[in-house]
Amino acid sequence: MHMPIDPATIAIRARNVTLSLGTRDAPVEILKGVDLTLLRGESIAILGASGSGKSSLMAVLCGLERASGGDVHIGGVDFGALDEDALARARRGRIGIVLQSFHLLPTMTALENVAVPLELAGVSDAFARAADELRAVGLGHRIDHYPSQLSGGEQQRVAIARAVAPRPTILFADEPTGNLDATTGVTIMDLLFDRQRAAGATLVIITHDPALADRCGRIIEMRDGQIVSDRAA
Amino acid sequence: MSALDWASSWRIARRDLLGRFRGLRLLFLCLFLGVATLAAIGSLTSAITQELSQRGQGLLGGDVEIAMTQREAGEGDKAAFRRVGRLSETIRLRAMARGERPDSAAVLTELKGVDSAYPLYGTLALQSGVYRAPLGPDRILIGPALADRLDVKPGDRLVYGTATFTIADIITDEPDRLGEGFTLGPVAIVSLEGLRRTGLIQPGSLYDSKYRLRLAPGADAQAVREDLEKRYASAGWEYKDRDRAAPGASRFIVRMGQFLSLIGLAALVIAGIGVSNGVASYLALKRPGIATFKVLGATSTDIARIYLLQIGCIALLGIACGLIVGALLPPAIVALAGDVLPVSPGFRLHALPLVTSAAYGLLIAFLFTLPPLARARTQPAALLFRGVVDARHGIDRRSLIAMTAAGALLVALALGTARDPLFSAAVLGATAAVMLLLLGIGWGVRQLALRAPRPRRPLLRLALANLHRPGAQTAALIVALGLALTLFVTLAGIQTSLDSEIRNVVPKTAPAQFVLDIPSGEADRFQTIVRAQAPDAQFNIVPALRGTIVAYGNQRVTDLKELPDGAWFLRGERGITYSSTLPEGSELVEGQWWAPDYAGVPLVSFDAEAAKTLGIDVGDTLTVSLLGREITARIASLRKINWETMGFNYIMVFSPGTVSAAPHSLAATITMDPRQDNQVTRALLAAFPGVSVIAVGEVIEQVGAIMTQMSSAIVAAASVAILAGIAVLVGAIAASRQARSYDSVILKTLGATRWQILGGQALEYGLLAMMLALVALALGSGAAWFVIVQIFDFTWSPDWLVVLATLGGGALLTLGIGLAGSIPLLSVRPATALRQL
């Protein structure tokens, strides 16, 4: 028997979420009625093979994509009612995202990359805080380097620093070790969990790697756009 | 939360811009070309008109000028003039110069008699130095063209009328040449006494007397002129002051400048397409960065500000460089043009054309940056998760409103700075219509390529697919290159048709000679003399007087603030004649012709077009000033004049008795074999020393030369349009480099040779060039036909060889540049590229 959940502890609630892409003549059903509740401070792995819909689910849950049906509440805000600009504003300070291909801005240094979300949020000491975050991920000596001058692991650390710098309540990581070797990948995951704990944030990791999923407190498995299991790790 | 402020946006924009300009180079180049052209045209026009204005005293030969035809001012009038300022009198007429020998050639010249005060301003420069008055009564100064034509030099002798002169020197600069207006022959200067020796000044002769005044320093020339006009309102004199010394030249320069500016603006609009493509390429490169910004919380407004600042920087740089080059070009053009320009202005910065050109550049940059920016700023952040080849989102309403406002401002600027807003509106409207049509054709070509049967050969299939693949620049290229090529075909069609009209049609219909100043009453003798040399000659002999229209209906011309549009005949003196029968070349459209023996109240037959312009009709009155006397006549009929006959086409023909008593001469046209020109001229001069003979062939040559010069200027301005089109083509090639490299690598992997790959590219650009040629031929020929047949009412007879050569050149250029852009694709190594794909 499930105990009723205190709404104050809910980080994300998704109900009957569907996502349809492609053209009107040839639609592709990516998500087929997903129900999900994530709590504050949890670490969750969304596990599934390629094409299972896990990345698309993450896109919907972090406000990068609008669901075709159902509703999504993040931090108490109904994301389904928001347009692109409102979604962008809603992400500021609330959601941090780490992507598989890092997606650093190539024309900016590590320090400038980390400072961008702080500047967008109107933080006055953006560069000082950015420098602190980079030191926290062990890149205090690389703050003036451009992405092309950093290794893959270093780029991903910058991406992590950028994601956590605004102190988000929810942290998403989509295949964060997908473009890294095994050793670097372990280091990066250690860093991610460390920064999650320091921020007290909810961590959602998208992965196809069961070993990585086992590091989280909860594992949600997806197949063909639906959740097939939701269990404690 | 509010958007990033401008300072933060600038900080981010600057960081993002450093070192990455690809795509914005095209923006820079297109704006530079367009703005430089407009700035150069505007600066040159301003320089020349300002020079004409500043040199007004020298050009006019005084501060105020009073002119009259077929008479001289009385002593009382001259005394009155002298009370106003220092007076100089000149008399000018067309006259035949010939050598002393009976068989020597005769040349039509502008003979000018001057007094000892001439020139009041400026210097009459001679080969040996500066002219010092007075000129002896048997001495003559001649222009270099006359010296060449008659092969004479200082010390030789020339005959005018009944007088012989010794050439004293060769004129190198006549200070008031431009103020004299259009001249048919080279100048020769004698003293007033010498002029009277020639016997050419007779009652009824066609000559102009000019009285120039040098006022006290600081005197208001305009006020003096207006005072004289009021005092001698009924004298029928013409007045000028130093501020409008050469109104004809000024008008021509301003009109030409305006027309060239419109062509320059069309070129800038083509450049705008390049701007749009360049910005789209740049923003395509920035797509991952834009999506990342959005992931991090940037709104579309933040994105718009950041990239507008970046694009704005490069745009301002391009505009600034264009202004600098445009400001520096006029001295170079003046040096190259030499005597073609009426004056040679020095170097000065002219603020208004530079500011206007900058404004055009900014508006075009803004207008053509908005569509790709609007698409980029609204692209969703989810693009990071989905590959998108061509994210063609619609343009949001705010951007559409901004684009409409920018477009409206652009049109307002063009019309607001135009001397003739209606003409400018017509040209802009036609350009916009052609662009829309080309856009439609571009869309049509894509659809055609999409729906065409799939060719069996893979390279042809690929070439066809490249015309309609997502991201293909087909429509943009057809608009940009199509507009430029259409402009060239239009100009080629118009130029060659006009050329043909002047060189082929006109000589067939025009008489061989016009003869002026035939003594009244000598018509029969005149015909006899001519027929003795040319038995088959045909004649049209008419009385010739000159007068000024001073009133029409109840309106006095001097009371008009501005002449009505198209009322060229109210400006200055016009030819007047009288006839008992309807003149040849005229067709009565309203009213009645008077009886051959009519002897009633003064009647006049008026040109129907002129009547329409003035808003008058049969029954209204027309008042002309003829030799100082005002004559009011009732309009008895309106005529449609057939100007193509090239005969005497008078807009005013009076009833006999109205003006026949005034002193006048006869004018005649002679239609004969032009090879008989010289012998007829010699015979006429021997019998009538005072006649002037105008060989139409020479006039045609002169007009042809002027038109060639004008064409060169127009083609030069239009060349910028081609350059802008090429810039768009180069930009399109660069934008599609990645996709073409991909194709090239895959094809090589599958076994295609480099020649086959190049052949595929040649097929694609060849198809594009062929379509451009067809479009430009259809539109350009149509536009040229409309101008020649509907506007000029000439025969449509373009030189198709020239037109097709123009088209061929443009098509080959397109193909050549396309292939040149394809050569780097041949060196892409499959193994290296495949690792990166």
Short mmCIF file of all heavy atoms in Angstrom, two decimals, chain B residues 121 477 502 633:
data_model
loop_
_atom_site.label_atom_id
_atom_site.label_comp_id
_atom_site.label_asym_id
_atom_site.label_seq_id
_atom_site.Cartn_x
_atom_site.Cartn_y
_atom_site.Cartn_z
N TYR B 121 33.17 87.98 -65.01
CA TYR B 121 33.72 87.05 -64.02
C TYR B 121 34.47 85.94 -64.77
O TYR B 121 34.15 85.62 -65.90
CB TYR B 121 32.61 86.42 -63.17
CG TYR B 121 31.96 87.35 -62.19
CD1 TYR B 121 30.71 87.89 -62.45
CD2 TYR B 121 32.61 87.67 -61.00
CE1 TYR B 121 30.11 88.73 -61.53
CE2 TYR B 121 32.00 88.52 -60.08
CZ TYR B 121 30.75 89.05 -60.36
OH TYR B 121 30.15 89.88 -59.46
N LEU B 477 18.92 32.77 -55.34
CA LEU B 477 19.81 33.01 -56.48
C LEU B 477 19.04 33.53 -57.67
O LEU B 477 19.50 34.42 -58.39
CB LEU B 477 20.55 31.72 -56.86
CG LEU B 477 21.66 31.33 -55.89
CD1 LEU B 477 22.21 29.95 -56.24
CD2 LEU B 477 22.79 32.35 -55.93
N ILE B 502 18.18 55.97 -83.72
CA ILE B 502 18.93 57.17 -84.08
C ILE B 502 19.74 56.95 -85.35
O ILE B 502 19.80 57.81 -86.22
CB ILE B 502 19.86 57.59 -82.91
CG1 ILE B 502 18.99 58.17 -81.78
CG2 ILE B 502 20.88 58.60 -83.34
CD1 ILE B 502 19.73 58.36 -80.50
N ALA B 633 -3.91 85.55 -78.41
CA ALA B 633 -4.67 84.90 -79.47
C ALA B 633 -5.61 83.89 -78.85
O ALA B 633 -5.34 83.33 -77.79
CB ALA B 633 -3.71 84.22 -80.45
#
